[in-house]
Amino acid sequence: MQEILPLAGIVVVLVLIAVLAFHVKKQRDNHVQLFVYMYGTILEGRLRNLIVCLEDMLDVPDDIEMVGLSFFSPDDWHRIADRSLCAEFVMLVGQNALGMRARKTLEHGFDCLSQALELMDGFPGDREKPVRFGQPTDRRQWRKLLSESVRSFESVRRDVVF
């Protein structure tokens, strides 16, 4: 009888350790899922805002110069042209565990967006300066690049994990 009591105590302690390990693993998985949801929400919201602004730019008729049309503030234009914005989005894609395909799609969208900004003669540094396009072919190419960028962003937005 005296030999069974310590053995039973050891078994009880091992069962408690197993139960606690299972509980800790479950709680850790819940926290990871919470972070994936949080980063997914942030990524989806930022992509949605960017897509809406780019679609508004595409809706401007060809015969109007983009004078005073403020889809983005002057600081935002330079932020979009800078590659750090792409790096932020790629970081959010990585945190959301979307994978390499979503990352490449997002980078393609930002490449198209930067090419579209290069086509703009009057890069909007301030609100008074109009954005003009030299030829109608430049305007068509600009629209094509912007729409390709929107398609890429929309593709990544649809794949966001919640």
Side-chain angles (χ1 to χ4, degrees), residues 26-42 95-96 161-162:
K26 185 177 176 184
Q27 288 297 324
R28 187 184 70 218
D29 290 344
N30 285 342
H31 290 299
V32 168
Q33 191 64 23
L34 179 68
F35 281 116
V36 167
Y37 176 77
M38 179 185 71
Y39 286 119
T41 304
I42 292 169
Q95 295 292 332
N96 196 242
V161 177
F162 284 115

Side-chain angles (χ1 to χ4, degrees), residues 57 66 69 72-78 117 120-127 129-131:
M57 288 174 63
M66 295 185 349
L69 299 175
F72 299 106
S73 70
D75 294 334
D76 289 340
W77 281 108
H78 294 288
L117 291 177
M120 299 167 84
D121 287 340
F123 188 74
D126 55 75
R127 293 180 190 264
K129 188 175 182 182
V131 176

Side-chain angles (χ1 to χ4, degrees), residues 35-158:
F35 281 116
V36 167
Y37 176 77
M38 179 185 71
Y39 286 119
T41 304
I42 292 169
L43 178 64
E44 199 264 341
R46 286 187 179 178
L47 281 173
R48 186 179 301 231
N49 287 341
L50 187 58
I51 290 168
V52 166
C53 290
L54 293 175
E55 285 175 344
D56 286 346
M57 288 174 63
L58 283 171
D59 289 339
V60 174
D62 285 340
D63 57 346
I64 296 176
E65 289 181 351
M66 295 185 349
V67 179
L69 299 175
S70 58
F71 304 108
F72 299 106
S73 70
D75 294 334
D76 289 340
W77 281 108
H78 294 288
R79 182 168 158 80
I80 288 172
D82 189 18
R83 294 302 289 183
S84 66
L85 182 65
C86 180
E88 288 178 23
F89 276 93
V90 167
M91 186 269 308
L92 286 172
V93 164
Q95 295 292 332
N96 196 242
L98 285 180
M100 203 58 162
R101 183 177 180 188
R103 180 181 176 189
K104 293 292 183 189
T105 305
L106 189 67
E107 287 174 350
H108 174 71
F110 274 102
D111 289 341
C112 289
L113 187 58
S114 66
Q115 289 173 9
L117 291 177
E118 288 173 5
L119 285 175
M120 299 167 84
D121 287 340
F123 188 74
D126 55 75
R127 293 180 190 264
E128 277 70 33
K129 188 175 182 182
V131 176
R132 293 188 176 98
F133 294 94
Q135 300 173 357
T137 57
D138 289 344
R139 180 71 173 204
R140 281 193 298 271
Q141 182 67 17
W142 179 77
R143 283 184 181 276
K144 180 181 172 188
L145 287 168
L146 278 186
S147 62
E148 180 65 28
S149 179
V150 167
R151 273 193 298 273
S152 296
F153 295 149
E154 187 64 35
S155 171
V156 172
R157 191 188 70 78
R158 281 191 306 263

Side-chain angles (χ1 to χ4, degrees), residues 9-23:
I10 291 173
V11 169
V12 169
V13 169
L14 289 176
V15 168
L16 284 175
I17 289 173
V19 167
L20 286 174
F22 177 75
H23 181 69

